[in-house]
Amino acid sequence: SQTIHQWPATLVQPVGSPLSLECTVEGTSNPNLYWYRQAAGRGLQLLFYSVGIGQISSEVPQNLSASRPQDRQFILSSKKLLLSDSGFYLCAWSYSQETQYFGPGTRLLVL
Amino acid sequence: AQTVTQSQPEMSVQEAETVTLSCTYDTSESDYYLFWYKQPPSRQMILVIRQEAYKQQNATENRFSVNFQKAAKSFSLKISDSQLGDAAMYFCAYKPPGTYKYIFGTGTRLKVLA
């Protein structure tokens, strides 16, 4: 069966510091991968998605970037965090453009 | 533009009773996917149920069922015999054909009263 992991689970970072969030999927090959952000009590905002290694589509231009160095690894990064980057970050995967499955998420607090 | 609307920001239901959460969507497509996700306090998004638009039969998963009205572009979720563990945010989502993006509604917070 497929499993999706995210780490860290919680992160507290100062403004201006770098960020690296990692997502990995097990049990499937060539998944479509997604990064979402969710502010407290709000809906999901799609940040990036990837349909293959090195292929990244950006939905929201900002100081975040994403990379997919391996088939089942998706990384969300920032060189300098802003206060507005605080939120809950969810990674998700899908296969054959059907059902999307989510990871446990990372809570990011930028102070 | 393709949109998903959840008009009920919050709903309450008595334990063991039945509740229906509403979702409407806007599309000109004929073949697509619809989903309901549950987000409990842990905030992990959990798939509750999925419906393929070309299937006439409404999807059912144990106490969860949908009322899919394709012509009306309506996709409501019925929860029967509500339990305290059903308390969560519920998101409706639409997947257009031929794209990789999923369109989510703004969510409905369900409270279950003991």
Side-chain angles (χ1 to χ4, degrees):
Chain A
S1 63
Q2 300 84 11
T3 310
I4 180 168
H5 303 279
Q6 285 186 246
W7 63 88
T10 304
L11 192 60
V12 181
Q13 292 285 92
V15 170
S17 64
L19 173 73
S20 181
L21 303 181
E22 190 165 340
C23 171
T24 59
V25 181
E26 297 177 355
T28 186
S29 297
N30 197 29
N32 303 316
L33 296 172
Y34 303 79
W35 278 112
Y36 290 89
R37 178 168 62 198
Q38 185 182 32
R42 305 293 294 273
L44 298 175
Q45 179 187 31
L46 178 63
L47 301 175
F48 302 93
Y49 68 93
S50 171
V51 300
I53 296 174
Q55 301 178 60
I56 308 294
S57 295
S58 174
E59 290 297 301
V60 183
Q62 51 194 319
N63 69 319
L64 297 173
S65 63
S67 62
R68 185 170 176 174
Q70 301 180 42
D71 181 43
R72 291 169 289 177
Q73 184 184 31
F74 204 23
I75 297 172
L76 182 69
S77 303
S78 174
K79 293 181 179 178
K80 288 186 177 181
L81 283 168
L82 306 173
L83 288 173
S84 57
D85 292 324
S86 292
F88 188 64
Y89 288 82
L90 283 158
C91 180
W93 74 273
S94 70
Y95 191 72
S96 298
Q97 302 180 40
E98 295 185 3
T99 306
Q100 194 171 62
Y101 298 94
F102 288 82
T106 295
R107 290 174 175 77
L108 172 65
L109 179 60
V110 182
L111 300 175
Chain B
Q2 294 166 331
T3 57
V4 174
T5 301
Q6 293 180 249
S7 59
Q8 307 152 316
E10 190 170 295
M11 294 279 287
S12 296
V13 62
Q14 206 70 33
E15 196 176 5
E17 297 294 308
T18 296
V19 65
T20 299
L21 308 184
S22 301
C23 173
T24 59
Y25 56 96
D26 183 26
T27 184
S28 58
E29 306 289 347
S30 60
D31 190 16
Y32 46 86
Y33 292 95
L34 294 163
F35 309 90
W36 278 99
Y37 286 91
K38 170 185 177 181
Q39 189 178 40
S42 68
R43 300 187 75 178
Q44 180 166 8
M45 295 280 282
I46 302 166
L47 177 70
V48 175
I49 202 164
R50 138 188 156 151
Q51 176 79 43
E52 296 166 64
Y54 68 86
K55 290 187 176 179
Q56 300 275 354
Q57 189 172 6
N58 289 325
T60 299
E61 287 287 344
N62 301 314
R63 297 183 295 107
F64 298 87
S65 61
V66 298
N67 183 5
F68 174 46
Q69 301 289 330
K70 191 172 184 178
K73 298 177 185 176
S74 172
F75 183 59
S76 60
L77 175 70
K78 186 172 83 170
I79 306 174
S80 304
D81 186 25
S82 296
Q83 300 175 1
L84 295 176
D86 295 333
M89 281 288 285
Y90 286 82
F91 290 94
C92 178
Y94 160 77
K95 170 66 175 61
T99 75
Y100 295 96
K101 300 183 201 178
Y102 296 72
I103 301 167
F104 286 82
T106 52
T108 296
R109 181 172 301 282
L110 178 65
K111 295 184 177 180
V112 181
L113 309 174

